[in-house]
């Protein structure tokens, strides 16, 4: 039986937050463990330059994110793991797809509007074209399922529209992918404003846990996390966003359910929850951190994994690109 192709990517910029780890990367690890899936995971470095990147930082972050994925259990012998810019077919298919995408569609994208407002001095064509490059990423691999956070669902819809439009004009060429929302319980919020998502670009370092933070820093940040009025530990996102966020983090870190955690903390105080939460996160990240340190120390081996992954990715991508070029009428 043909396996389901699962495709996802993450931008190797800034830090990997606890939110990225619990919300995305741990989920990828579970998808990889399912024998029916054939998983492909990319570091979307081409996407990062839609906002200015310092060259040394981009190089450093890309290697670091690769080590982070491997440390999180993404296994290059069972999944394809690669750096997007190593596979030139992405940029090439993005150009082709550009000619089947309307300016009006891109103009309406929520992320484009948000980022344009945030970087009003650099509203470059790449920023507007971001969803088309993402569509190229996905369509190159005949992806069936694309796990994404809710903020990327609109881009996934556009990828489906572009694939469908191309297929309508030229006959079946691309697989129309299905988006899969990462589990809602796994959305990790800022520690300082639990009504906003934990974001790597948050200027307040106390709001965000990096998966590479020291145990002391993690404990300190969780201890200082904003909680809610009252003293009862209940899961109520509306009225107790801070406590609910800590419960989500704790349950994810321990692989338990939120209901179990609520039962366990009945009659206890916020302080108890914070201590348990900090311990659980530190314990979850300890072995991860050890693997990361070993991986990042051997750059030669790390880059060999990346080259290997790119070669596997390119085999698939080149075939899909040739199929599309043929349909369009390019002389092959
Ligand atoms: N835009 C995605 C994000 O920032 C990353 C990404 C790039 C992606 N290409 C993709 C995700 C293809 C899924 C599929 O989160």
């Amino acid at each position: 039986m043909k396996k389901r192709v699962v495709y996802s990517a993450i931008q190797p910029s800034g830090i990997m937050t606890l939110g990225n780890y619990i919300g995305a990367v741990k989920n990828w690890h579970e998808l990889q463990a399912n024998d029916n899936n054939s998983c492909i995971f990319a570091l979307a470095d081409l996407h990062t330059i839609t906002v200015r990147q310092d060259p040394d930082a981009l190089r450093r972050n890309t290697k670091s994110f690769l080590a982070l994925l491997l440390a999180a259990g993404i296994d290059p012998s069972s999944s394809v793991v690669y750096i997007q810019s190593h596979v030139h077919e992405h940029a090439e298919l993005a150009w082709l797809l550009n000619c089947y995408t309307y300016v009006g569609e891109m103009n309406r994208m929520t992320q484009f509007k948000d980022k344009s407002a945030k970087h009003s001095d650099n509203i470059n064509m790449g920023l507007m074209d971001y969803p088309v490059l993402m569509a190229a990423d996905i369509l190159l691999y005949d992806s069936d399922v694309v796990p994404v956070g809710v903020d990327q669902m609109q881009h996934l819809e556009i990828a489906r529209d572009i694939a469908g439009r191309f297929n309508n004009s030229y006959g079946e060429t691309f697989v129309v992918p299905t988006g899969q929302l990462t589990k809602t319980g796994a959305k990790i919020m800022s520690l300082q404003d639990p009504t906003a998502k934990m974001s790597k670009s948050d200027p307040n370092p106390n709001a965000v846990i990096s998966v590479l933070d020291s145990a002391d820093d993690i404990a300190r940040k969780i201890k200082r996390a904003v909680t809610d009025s009252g003293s009862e530990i209940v899961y109520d996102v509306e009225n107790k966003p801070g406590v609910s966020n800590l419960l989500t983090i704790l349950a994810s870190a321990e692989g338990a359910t939120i209901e179990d955690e609520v039962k366990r903390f009945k009659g206890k105080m916020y302080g108890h929850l914070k201590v348990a939460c900090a311990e659980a996160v530190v314990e979850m990240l300890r072995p991860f951190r050890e693997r990361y340190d070993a991986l990042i120390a051997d750059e030669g081996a790390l880059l060999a994994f990346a080259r290997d992954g790119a070669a596997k990715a390119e085999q698939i991508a080149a075939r899909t690109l040739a199929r599309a070029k043929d349909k369009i009428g390019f002389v092959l």
Side-chain angles (χ1 to χ4, degrees):
M1 211 181 71
K2 193 185 166 289
K3 292 191 178 194
R4 237 172 38 140
V5 177
V6 177
Y7 187 95
S8 200
I10 188 169
Q11 291 192 51
S13 58
I15 56 169
M16 185 183 283
T17 68
L18 185 66
N20 299 139
Y21 182 75
I22 291 175
V25 179
K26 257 180 102 199
N27 184 241
W28 294 3
H29 185 232
E30 284 162 28
L31 289 162
Q32 171 186 263
N34 182 335
D35 265 346
N36 297 323
N37 294 338
S38 162
C39 296
I40 306 177
F41 300 119
L43 295 172
D45 57 346
L46 295 174
H47 278 101
T48 68
I49 64 165
T50 55
V51 303
R52 288 281 173 268
Q53 300 290 327
D54 171 72
D56 287 329
L58 178 57
R59 251 186 295 276
R60 189 167 9 90
N61 287 334
T62 304
K63 291 175 207 162
S64 175
F65 268 71
L66 178 60
L68 289 166
L69 291 189
L70 301 182
I74 303 302
D75 175 3
S77 66
S78 66
S79 297
V80 176
V81 187
Y82 70 101
I83 298 170
Q84 185 189 29
S85 66
H86 286 183
V87 181
H88 64 78
E89 282 81 357
H90 289 253
E92 201 174 341
L93 182 62
W95 170 254
L96 304 186
L97 298 181
N98 269 328
C99 303
Y100 304 88
T101 307
Y102 298 107
V103 171
E105 291 177 303
M106 296 297 99
N107 238 331
R108 283 197 295 276
M109 294 287 105
T110 306
Q111 185 177 289
F112 174 61
K113 288 192 271 188
D114 289 350
K115 287 197 179 172
S116 300
K118 218 164 127 194
H119 305 277
S120 56
D121 56 335
N122 182 23
I123 307 178
N124 61 73
M125 288 304 294
L127 193 62
M128 192 176 190
D129 205 27
Y130 183 111
V132 180
L133 178 60
M134 186 163 154
D137 297 345
I138 296 166
L139 300 183
L140 275 176
Y141 299 92
D142 291 337
S143 309
D144 297 300
V145 180
V146 182
V148 284
V150 63
D151 58 320
Q152 295 297 315
M153 244 328 159
Q154 197 180 33
H155 294 162
L156 205 274
E157 286 302 322
I158 278 290
R160 289 167 55 85
D161 291 348
I162 296 172
R165 186 176 300 153
F166 194 100
N167 289 347
N168 276 336
S169 303
Y170 297 106
E172 283 310 301
T173 309
F174 297 119
V175 172
V176 180
T178 307
Q180 187 186 71
L181 266 192
T182 31
K183 284 174 249 142
T184 42
K187 187 167 176 197
I188 307 300
M189 312 304 275
S190 156
L191 296 177
Q192 292 297 314
D193 173 8
T195 61
K197 184 179 149 186
M198 183 181 280
S199 159
K200 58 174 119 186
S201 54
D202 198 312
N204 181 351
N206 287 325
V208 188
I209 292 175
S210 158
V211 292
L212 296 176
D213 276 347
S214 69
D216 286 350
D217 281 342
I218 293 171
R220 182 177 45 78
K221 289 179 187 181
I222 292 178
K223 203 167 146 202
R224 288 193 192 162
V226 168
T227 43
D228 315 292
S229 54
S231 62
E232 208 192 339
I233 296 177
V234 287
Y235 186 78
D236 177 350
V237 175
E238 191 84 342
N239 299 306
K240 296 218 171 193
V243 169
S244 301
N245 191 35
L246 292 174
L247 284 167
T248 302
I249 295 174
L250 176 61
S252 306
E254 291 187 337
T257 66
I258 290 176
E259 296 81 74
D260 283 343
E261 301 293 0
V262 170
K263 257 185 235 148
R264 171 177 163 207
F265 285 94
K266 201 167 157 56
K268 301 240 173 71
M269 294 187 295
Y270 288 170
H272 295 124
L273 175 62
K274 286 182 168 180
V275 169
C277 186
E279 271 173 16
V281 171
V282 168
E283 280 318 306
M284 172 179 69
L285 292 178
R286 190 193 310 281
F288 167 79
R289 181 59 196 254
E290 284 166 10
R291 288 193 295 271
Y292 173 83
D293 287 342
L295 285 157
I296 203 72
D298 189 350
E299 187 172 312
L302 197 59
L303 294 181
F305 280 127
R307 272 194 299 275
D308 210 48
K312 288 184 198 151
E314 183 148 37
Q315 273 199 353
I316 308 168
R319 272 202 313 265
T320 316
L321 179 65
R323 200 163 70 219
K325 288 171 89 172
D326 187 36
K327 291 276 175 81
I328 292 172
F330 289 120
V331 176
L332 296 188

